[in-house]
Amino acid sequence: MSMDRLIEKIIKLNNPTVVGLDPKLEFIPDFIKEQAFSEHGVNLTGAAQAVLMFNKGLIDSLHDIVPAVKPQAAYYEMLGYEGVKVLYQTQKYAHQKGMYIITDGKRNDIGATMQAYAAAHLGTISLLKEHEAFIADSLTVNGYLGTDGIEPLLDIAKKYDKSIFVLVKTSNPSSGELQDLKLENGLSVYEQMGKMCERWGKELPGRYGYSGVGAVVGATYPEQITTLREQLPGTFFLIPGYGAQGASAKDVAKAFDSNGIGGIVNSSRAIMCAYKKEKCDEQDFAGAARREAIRMRGELMLSL
Amino acid sequence: MSMDRLIEKIIKLNNPTVVGLDPKLEFIPDFIKEQAFSEHGVNLTGAAQAVLMFNKGLIDSLHDIVPAVKPQAAYYEMLGYEGVKVLYQTQKYAHQKGMYIITDGKRNDIGATMQAYAAAHLGTISLLKEHEAFIADSLTVNGYLGTDGIEPLLDIAKKYDKSIFVLVKTSNPSSGELQDLKLENGLSVYEQMGKMCERWGKELPGRYGYSGVGAVVGATYPEQITTLREQLPGTFFLIPGYGAQGASAKDVAKAFDSNGIGGIVNSSRAIMCAYKKEKCDEQDFAGAARREAIRMRGELMLSL
């Protein structure tokens, strides 16, 4: 089962980290942008090629110590279809290097249309033979539309050995505006969403006790993580908010069970831009990313 | 203001219809697929080219009687980056023909990332000059993450004269699982989301009393439409669910105010596949789409 594969990679590398590939242009070293723009022009194609070079450098440097990458679809869409092509090429490269790929798309729609998203990101398209539109082991999704927006994903996940992560409690400052409101049944909206994840997960059981339906739970709300870990014993967590957004290793530790599993912690900017913080030669951006990933791994492992 | 432009187009054409461009391959006439596959191969490129030919035929046939198109991102993503390129080409063609474009992406993310989606779909990207990644007048979004997932869209909407539609009460059977739950404050989750739309809309006021922040409200729940029209006097509705999903013209009429404005009704399959229902020569698919659009316009105008 797909979430089992992720957990096994985490155990093997002794590292519950996923690197967010959110390549804002300002994060990319100048020497890469200069090369890409001089070869392809100062346009969306050039920018997309810079992103691809940057991502490949990061993946080369990280794939033997970090189990997973999480490309954020928005930053690829921002560069138009050339950017979306680079999303695919990045996924393909990470896949070849053996990394688990979580496409952060937060997709959501009604049943018939969700089938199309599920096929696009986790399945294949039949035209004489099977074609892949994108490549991922997992997709983040938004459950506001209820079960028939999720079922098509479960079907595809079963067939192709994939997983999903449903937004439960997000890491941003205003996440509570809707998510924290109390329902008449005594649960908050995010707790209700968590409960739905546990229910959906029953269709994708895993051997470590965690189903193929994970939950996105922001580390910036450590109290809520603690409660959710108790309420959702069968749900694996994808945890944004560590580092740049302010959460500590102690905060994220609350997402883990007594065996030290239960979640994977995202770091995007701190790893992508480690060369800026280190003030090293920007040519060494990938080395700096690796040093930060090792530092983070150590910090996380100490706190679990 | 962008929602004013949509309302003026609706008034000018006397037609509150948006045509959903959800090009499943099974919806496309065989002669188009045969031509595209023979020119480009039976692969994602060939399929994407078939979608483009189909869309252009529909737009040619409808642009003088229907004010808006709503391409559904999922069906383009399903064909990979070649499909996403065709989404852009479809938008460009519809824009040249003067149609209002609502990209149905249901995008959502935290602030920094939502800026990227906003730039991608409603804004531009600065690289020496401004580049457009995609072309749309409006984008559908999911408000589960609260205000800081919406603010970047409001900023871009102001700057570039665009609008958004936030999911409030969706048309699918299980939409009530979360959306209908009662909160302690007495509102249902969807009513709370509607209230947030009214609040966000204050930043984008319009001259017809409707702001630049619209709401998606499914016609399949006519009672909820009636209540929401009263609760959200400043929010324009995008209304899916008419036709194939079972809602009647009488149901959707509840979304309109006493001046006969207040919403735009989506039809996807009934117009795209009108040639199948008519059993006419598939070469006449665009003519059949036009006949169905005229029939629907008549039915809607009678009920308002």
Side-chain angles (χ1 to χ4, degrees):
Chain A
M1 202 274 291
S2 176
M3 203 68 90
D4 290 342
R5 285 196 286 115
L6 175 59
I7 292 169
E8 283 154 14
K9 276 180 199 285
I10 291 170
I11 292 171
K12 189 176 161 206
L13 298 182
N14 209 21
N15 188 6
T17 301
V18 51
V19 173
L21 295 176
D22 307 7
K24 279 191 178 181
L25 288 182
E26 67 201 68
F27 293 174
I28 302 178
D30 288 335
F31 82 95
I32 290 180
K33 284 186 279 200
E34 281 158 18
Q35 189 185 329
F37 286 147
S38 76
E39 282 176 25
H40 302 278
V42 186
N43 51 38
L44 298 180
T45 310
Q49 288 305 310
V51 166
L52 184 60
M53 290 165 67
F54 183 53
N55 284 348
K56 283 185 172 178
L58 292 171
I59 292 166
D60 283 340
S61 181
L62 297 168
H63 73 275
D64 62 328
I65 55 167
V66 174
V69 284
K70 181 174 75 65
Q72 165 54 257
Y75 294 102
Y76 302 86
E77 285 183 31
M78 201 176 68
L79 304 176
Y81 57 82
E82 297 283 357
V84 174
K85 183 175 182 177
V86 161
L87 170 61
Y88 172 77
Q89 292 170 320
T90 297
Q91 292 168 328
K92 189 159 189 152
Y93 196 75
H95 182 70
Q96 285 164 354
K97 296 284 179 176
M99 299 187 90
Y100 193 89
I101 300 162
I102 303 169
T103 299
D104 197 351
K106 300 185 175 61
R107 296 302 192 248
N108 64 110
D109 216 292
I110 66 169
T113 303
M114 203 65 217
Q115 281 175 9
Y117 276 131
H121 293 283
L122 300 177
T124 58
I125 318 300
S126 273
L127 293 165
L128 287 183
K129 59 189 184 73
E130 300 302 309
H131 298 261
E132 52 191 15
F134 295 96
I135 302 170
D137 297 288
S138 190
L139 178 69
T140 62
V141 299
N142 184 319
Y144 186 73
L145 286 83
T147 297
D148 45 50
I150 299 293
E151 283 272 315
L153 294 155
L154 303 179
D155 296 342
I156 293 276
K158 262 181 234 170
K159 184 172 171 190
Y160 294 91
D161 185 28
K162 304 293 169 101
S163 72
I164 60 171
F165 285 95
V166 179
L167 299 185
V168 169
K169 172 66 185 165
T170 57
S171 61
N172 54 314
S174 70
S175 75
E177 278 179 18
L178 185 78
Q179 297 164 26
D180 288 2
L181 294 181
K182 280 276 182 227
L183 295 163
E184 278 188 351
N185 65 12
L187 299 176
S188 62
V189 169
Y190 75 81
E191 287 172 322
Q192 179 72 28
M193 189 66 89
K195 209 174 132 184
M196 287 156 74
C197 291
E198 285 272 308
R199 177 158 55 80
W200 295 325
K202 294 207 188 309
E203 291 192 41
L204 296 169
R207 77 169 68 101
Y208 298 94
Y210 293 104
S211 81
V213 178
V216 176
V217 181
T220 41
Y221 299 101
E223 279 180 41
Q224 283 88 335
I225 291 195
T226 309
T227 319
L228 286 170
R229 178 38 65 233
E230 286 164 17
Q231 289 177 347
L232 312 177
T235 304
F236 197 79
F237 292 170
L238 169 61
I239 309 157
Y242 168 83
Q245 288 180 56
S248 70
K250 220 179 106 199
D251 294 331
V252 305
K254 300 179 195 313
F256 291 77
D257 64 24
S258 54
N259 298 315
I261 56 174
I264 188 161
V265 182
N266 183 71
S267 176
S268 302
R269 208 183 326 163
I271 290 179
M272 283 188 291
C273 298
Y275 72 98
K276 292 189 180 192
K277 195 172 174 204
E278 260 195 21
K279 297 192 173 63
C280 66
D281 185 335
E282 62 167 30
Q283 297 270 352
D284 191 28
F285 76 96
R290 186 180 176 89
R291 290 187 287 279
E292 167 59 17
I294 289 170
R295 190 206 61 74
M296 177 179 167
R297 179 186 65 185
E299 190 177 90
L300 289 178
M301 294 319 288
L302 266 179
S303 75
L304 295 188
Chain B
M1 202 275 290
S2 177
M3 203 68 92
D4 290 342
R5 284 196 286 113
L6 175 59
I7 292 169
E8 282 155 14
K9 275 181 201 282
I10 290 170
I11 292 171
K12 189 176 159 204
L13 297 181
N14 208 20
N15 188 6
T17 301
V18 51
V19 172
L21 294 176
D22 307 7
K24 280 192 178 180
L25 288 183
E26 69 201 68
F27 293 175
I28 301 178
D30 288 335
F31 83 94
I32 290 179
K33 284 187 278 199
E34 282 159 18
Q35 189 186 329
F37 287 146
S38 77
E39 282 175 26
H40 303 278
V42 186
N43 51 38
L44 297 181
T45 310
Q49 287 305 310
V51 166
L52 184 58
M53 290 164 67
F54 183 53
N55 285 349
K56 284 186 172 178
L58 292 171
I59 291 165
D60 283 339
S61 182
L62 296 168
H63 71 96
D64 61 328
I65 55 167
V66 173
V69 285
K70 181 173 75 63
Q72 164 54 257
Y75 294 102
Y76 302 85
E77 285 182 32
M78 198 175 69
L79 304 176
Y81 58 82
E82 297 283 359
V84 174
K85 182 174 181 177
V86 161
L87 171 60
Y88 173 77
Q89 291 169 320
T90 297
Q91 293 168 328
K92 188 157 189 155
Y93 196 75
H95 182 71
Q96 284 164 353
K97 295 284 180 176
M99 299 186 91
Y100 193 90
I101 300 163
I102 303 169
T103 299
D104 197 352
K106 299 184 175 63
R107 297 302 194 246
N108 62 110
D109 216 292
I110 65 169
T113 303
M114 202 65 216
Q115 281 174 8
Y117 276 132
H121 293 284
L122 301 177
T124 59
I125 318 301
S126 272
L127 294 165
L128 286 185
K129 58 188 184 74
E130 300 302 309
H131 298 262
E132 54 192 14
F134 295 96
I135 303 170
D137 297 289
S138 190
L139 177 69
T140 62
V141 300
N142 185 318
Y144 186 73
L145 286 84
T147 297
D148 45 49
I150 299 294
E151 283 271 316
L153 293 156
L154 303 180
D155 295 342
I156 294 276
K158 260 181 235 169
K159 184 172 170 190
Y160 294 92
D161 186 28
K162 304 292 170 102
S163 71
I164 60 171
F165 285 96
V166 180
L167 299 185
V168 169
K169 172 66 184 165
T170 57
S171 61
N172 56 313
S174 71
S175 74
E177 277 179 20
L178 185 77
Q179 296 164 27
D180 289 1
L181 295 181
K182 281 276 181 225
L183 295 164
E184 278 187 350
N185 65 12
L187 299 177
S188 62
V189 169
Y190 75 80
E191 288 172 320
Q192 180 71 30
M193 189 66 89
K195 208 174 131 185
M196 288 156 74
C197 290
E198 285 272 310
R199 177 158 54 79
W200 295 324
K202 294 208 189 308
E203 290 193 43
L204 296 168
R207 77 169 69 102
Y208 299 94
Y210 293 104
S211 81
V213 178
V216 176
V217 181
T220 43
Y221 298 101
E223 279 178 41
Q224 283 87 336
I225 291 194
T226 310
T227 319
L228 286 170
R229 178 40 63 232
E230 286 165 17
Q231 288 177 348
L232 312 176
T235 304
F236 197 78
F237 292 171
L238 169 61
I239 308 157
Y242 169 83
Q245 288 181 55
S248 69
K250 219 180 107 199
D251 294 330
V252 305
K254 301 180 196 312
F256 291 77
D257 64 25
S258 54
N259 298 315
I261 57 175
I264 189 162
V265 182
N266 182 72
S267 176
S268 302
R269 205 183 328 162
I271 289 178
M272 282 188 292
C273 298
Y275 72 98
K276 292 189 179 189
K277 195 172 173 205
E278 260 195 21
K279 298 189 173 66
C280 65
D281 185 336
E282 62 167 28
Q283 297 271 353
D284 191 28
F285 76 96
R290 186 179 175 90
R291 290 187 288 277
E292 168 59 17
I294 290 171
R295 190 205 62 73
M296 177 180 168
R297 178 185 66 185
E299 192 177 87
L300 289 178
M301 294 319 289
L302 265 179
S303 76
L304 296 188

